[in-house]
Amino acid sequence: DAKTTQPPSMDCAEGRAANLPCNHSTISGNEYVYWYRQIHSQGPQYIIHGLKNNETNEMASLIITEDRKSSTLILPHATLRDTAVYYCIVRDLHASGGSYIPTFGRGTSLIVHP
Amino acid sequence: GAVVSQHPSRVICKSGTSVKIECRSLDFQATTMFWYRQFPKQSLMLMATSNEGSKATYEQGVEKDKFLINHASLTLSTLTVTSAHPEDSSFYICSARASRGSGNTIYFGEGSWLTVV
């Protein structure tokens, strides 16, 4: 029961910026947007999260629209090692007394090519 | 950053036997851990939520007697696949929630490949 929509696949040239979109039109006021990625045969890796302000860390930038209905993950200078499936997740008040339990959609398969 | 470690990373077992997978939070205490299963080319499917000191909460369709979860301490949760069958072969991933300010970021282990022959 993922609440996000992402394109199934994207590709990007090495060294260029990769912009991965995510729609979360039903997001509520207290829900955060999280991004994870999963490189083949590894566990998901946390990238970044935000509530309404744009966020930046050493891995990526997260741009959240003013109405919070969509966001974009930006990898400023993509490398071949950034090839992975990228998951956009919103805080899911799923059972367990309101604890945050990440549920995954299909994500975006990003392929970075030389 | 926070580290979650799983062991073993790969295991092969005979059909009918049981296998245990450990999930440890290495530099933080995790009151809640989650177990996922992932089949090839599919997304992660939540199996159960494990709370320290209490019984795990299983997702619909997941057999609690087959997938035994124990969360005996704040840094360790174990998943035991009992009477394993070839259809249980999968990539099993655990995650743990670190309570750090806003958002309660969740960190994932490296995953464990189980092959039942």
Side-chain angles (χ1 to χ4, degrees), chain B:
Chain B
V3 177
V4 175
S5 177
Q6 277 184 243
H7 178 80
S9 58
R10 292 181 179 273
V11 57
I12 300 173
C13 71
K14 291 184 177 181
S15 185
T17 63
S18 297
V19 61
K20 179 186 289 186
I21 301 171
E22 294 186 345
C23 177
R24 295 181 184 273
S25 56
L26 298 184
D27 56 356
F28 65 97
Q29 293 184 332
T31 54
T32 304
M33 290 185 172
F34 308 96
W35 286 95
Y36 295 81
R37 179 168 54 183
Q38 185 176 34
F39 293 108
K41 298 188 177 181
Q42 295 187 22
S43 188
L44 286 77
M45 297 300 297
L46 180 66
M47 298 176 66
T49 301
S50 167
N51 291 298
E52 186 267 336
S54 63
K55 291 183 178 180
T57 302
Y58 290 82
E59 295 299 298
Q60 189 174 9
V62 178
E63 300 175 55
K64 63 180 182 180
D65 295 329
K66 180 170 182 64
F67 299 99
L68 302 179
I69 292 173
N70 184 283
H71 192 162
S73 77
L74 288 173
T75 59
L76 174 64
S77 176
T78 61
L79 167 68
T80 301
V81 183
T82 63
S83 187
H85 291 284
E87 57 265 31
D88 297 325
S89 298
S90 186
F91 190 46
Y92 291 87
I93 305 167
C94 74
S95 65
R97 182 172 65 217
S99 298
R100 294 182 174 183
S102 64
N104 291 339
T105 301
I106 290 181
Y107 298 92
F108 288 81
E110 313 96 323
S112 299
W113 283 100
L114 170 63
T115 302
V116 184
V117 298

Side-chain angles (χ1 to χ4, degrees), chain A residues 10-25:
Chain A
M10 295 182 64
D11 69 278
C12 172
E14 187 178 19
R16 305 296 294 270
N19 299 292
L20 293 93
C22 179
N23 287 321
H24 32 79
S25 58

